[in-house]
Amino acid sequence: MNYPAGIHPFQSAEEKKARKKPLKMKVAPGNRGMSFEADINQSNDYYKQKGLCLITKRPTPINVVKVDYSAGAKITAAYFETQSTTDYNGVCEGHYIDFEAKSCRSKTSFPLSNIPPQQIEHLDSVLAQKGIAFFLIHFELLNETYLLPASEVISFYREKPRSSMPLSFIREKGRSIKEGFNPRYDYLPVLKSLFFTEK
């Protein structure tokens, strides 16, 4: 007999308790950064819909080597054409914006090994052209996110006083980002307060 909601009237107390246990989801290590990236994408979509700014995810350039047409067009072999620069770029009120989104599981610092040299060089070039450049750094285990100007990261990276940026340094030089529902990470007010000057 099929009972409503799958509940059997003769279930033991243990069986009923087991049914109420919450499902625990585990995130694979390789996908942790993707979750933060998806939240940034959602925030950018919100800003676009509201007409506040236009920031898009920069696609990773690939060179297709082989395509299987036997069941539609399916790429079977490809390689990265060039090294990627940063995750996001766009424009806001006439200002060019370029930034990288990073996440880590440390509670005390952000590893410099998470930043490839080409990203430093790219953001340095953006600053040289008077563009706005920064990092969004998310500490997963602390549930804290910061906007850190690229100039601070570049200086620390090149001087390399240690192999990671201390959380205390990031808190001092950066600004905390408010986390919410929509947008998920409301970084735009912080961006404006840091980089936009009154005319």
Side-chain angles (χ1 to χ4, degrees):
M1 178 179 281
N2 294 324
Y3 294 96
I7 298 172
H8 194 284
F10 304 111
Q11 281 181 326
S12 68
E14 289 79 15
E15 288 174 323
K16 288 179 182 177
K17 189 175 180 181
R19 289 180 58 84
K20 292 182 180 179
K21 283 186 178 178
L23 180 63
K24 292 184 179 179
M25 302 292 287
K26 288 187 177 180
V27 179
N31 294 331
R32 288 178 188 136
M34 298 301 290
S35 176
F36 180 53
E37 194 174 276
D39 288 338
I40 298 300
N41 293 343
Q42 183 268 351
S43 301
N44 290 337
D45 288 342
Y46 173 86
Y47 293 148
K48 181 181 177 181
Q49 290 166 11
K50 296 293 183 181
L52 300 173
C53 65
L54 178 62
I55 307 291
T56 57
K57 175 94 171 68
R58 183 182 272 119
T60 303
I62 63 166
N63 194 337
V64 177
V65 177
K66 190 175 180 183
V67 180
D68 180 7
Y69 293 101
S70 61
K74 181 180 178 182
I75 297 173
T76 57
Y79 63 87
F80 292 116
E81 200 170 80
T82 57
Q83 290 181 315
S84 61
T85 52
T86 50
D87 287 332
Y88 299 94
N89 71 331
V91 64
C92 181
E93 298 179 18
H95 299 272
Y96 175 74
I97 312 291
D98 203 309
F99 70 94
E100 176 70 15
K102 300 282 189 187
S103 64
C104 71
R105 292 183 62 80
S106 171
K107 291 183 178 180
T108 58
S109 63
F110 178 79
L112 292 181
S113 59
N114 287 4
I115 307 174
Q118 70 268 16
Q119 288 182 345
I120 293 295
E121 296 306 318
H122 173 76
L123 291 172
D124 199 26
S125 297
V126 170
L127 293 176
Q129 296 299 322
K130 309 301 181 189
I132 293 172
F134 58 91
F135 282 80
L136 287 181
I137 301 178
H138 179 62
F139 288 86
E140 294 177 26
L141 300 180
L142 299 174
N143 202 27
E144 295 179 13
T145 306
Y146 297 91
L147 187 153
L148 188 61
S151 57
E152 298 289 352
V153 179
I154 291 168
S155 295
F156 194 98
Y157 187 93
R158 288 182 173 159
E159 292 169 12
K160 280 196 173 72
R162 47 181 285 177
S163 61
S164 61
M165 279 188 293
L167 178 58
S168 58
F169 173 86
I170 294 170
R171 284 173 172 165
E172 178 191 349
K173 302 294 185 180
R175 296 279 183 88
S176 178
I177 299 298
K178 181 182 176 183
E179 185 177 344
F181 175 68
N182 200 14
R184 188 74 177 85
Y185 291 101
D186 195 12
Y187 67 87
L188 192 56
V190 175
L191 184 158
K192 288 184 176 183
S193 69
L194 273 177
F195 301 108
F196 289 19
T197 55
E198 294 291 334
K199 293 183 180 179

